[in-house]
Amino acid sequence: DMRIGGAYYPEHWPDEKWAEDFQLMREANMSFVRMGEFAWCKLEPKENHFVFGWLDRAIDLAAKMGLDVVLGTPTAGVPAWLAQKHPGIFKVDEDGRVRIFGGRNDYCVNQPIFQERTEKIVRAMASHFGRNASVIGWQIDNEPGWNGIRCYCDECQRGFREWLRRKYGSIENLNRSWGTIFGGQEYGDWSQIPLLWPAPLHNPALLMDSYRFFFDSYVRYIGFQSRILRELSPGKFVTTNIPPLEYDGPRFAQSLDFISFDCYPTLFAPGDPMKIGFLLDQFRGYKQKNFWVLEQQAGIPGDVTSLPAPEPGQIRLWTYQSVA
């Protein structure tokens, strides 16, 4: 028995259109709908002012049409008021530029203010919707890390040095483990260690440990949200959707009930179905069990440039490939 659903954004549409759209989903034999993952600005339009009534109505309408609901925590899309009040929550790029409001997943997971605001919105949502019988599960964020997992802000630099201190115990042990005598790179104090940009002719052990630090940062962030949801919304599954990125997949998935994949063949592997087959197999391996496809390309992907639309019959083919 395979369930088919769809993503829906009630905040995009007039209220009077919702019932019609949910009815069309039922006529298409869909059984669930995903909502909320980009609606932080509507769910918390002002700091600590939560507005959930509109989503209550959407969930109730979906339930009346026989649709179960998967709710997304909305942390991928930072609201403008938060960006204005705390611009330091955004990632710093390799060239030192701070990202600005308007993109997706541009937050830094190591920023304490962003962690605090994440906890408040996730707790508020889980407390309000967590025991609604129509809500069957949660998606954490949306494609966390889609714009990269590395950040070069002061908080990440401080966190990286502390991470190294916990791992190696002493600066002498770090020097020995990294082989820093090569090229005269020995460190005398933790404060001397940079957060290395992916540059040539530097210590590869430093670069590898920086990736491990960022892996751990995202594992902690996903686990942080997962614990809140399990505390306040018991009995609901917890997952998230990730594209093929620079993750240590099994550790990334450890706090989730199952992993979910977003399948965009003309974006990830144009003209090569074997690559999508590999990715599907890879994602299944993250938890050694079946997974969900929470997004399946059904048109031109919404990326920076227009990519090829599916050929006739191709969506059915991709669906069968995922099932296989």
Side-chain angles (χ1 to χ4, degrees), residues 92 197-198 210 219 282:
V92 176
W197 299 356
S210 72
V219 167
Q282 177 184 354

Side-chain angles (χ1 to χ4, degrees), residues 69 73 85 117 143 173 283:
V69 174
T73 65
K85 186 173 182 180
R117 296 315 311 182
E143 298 179 339
N173 192 35
F283 274 71

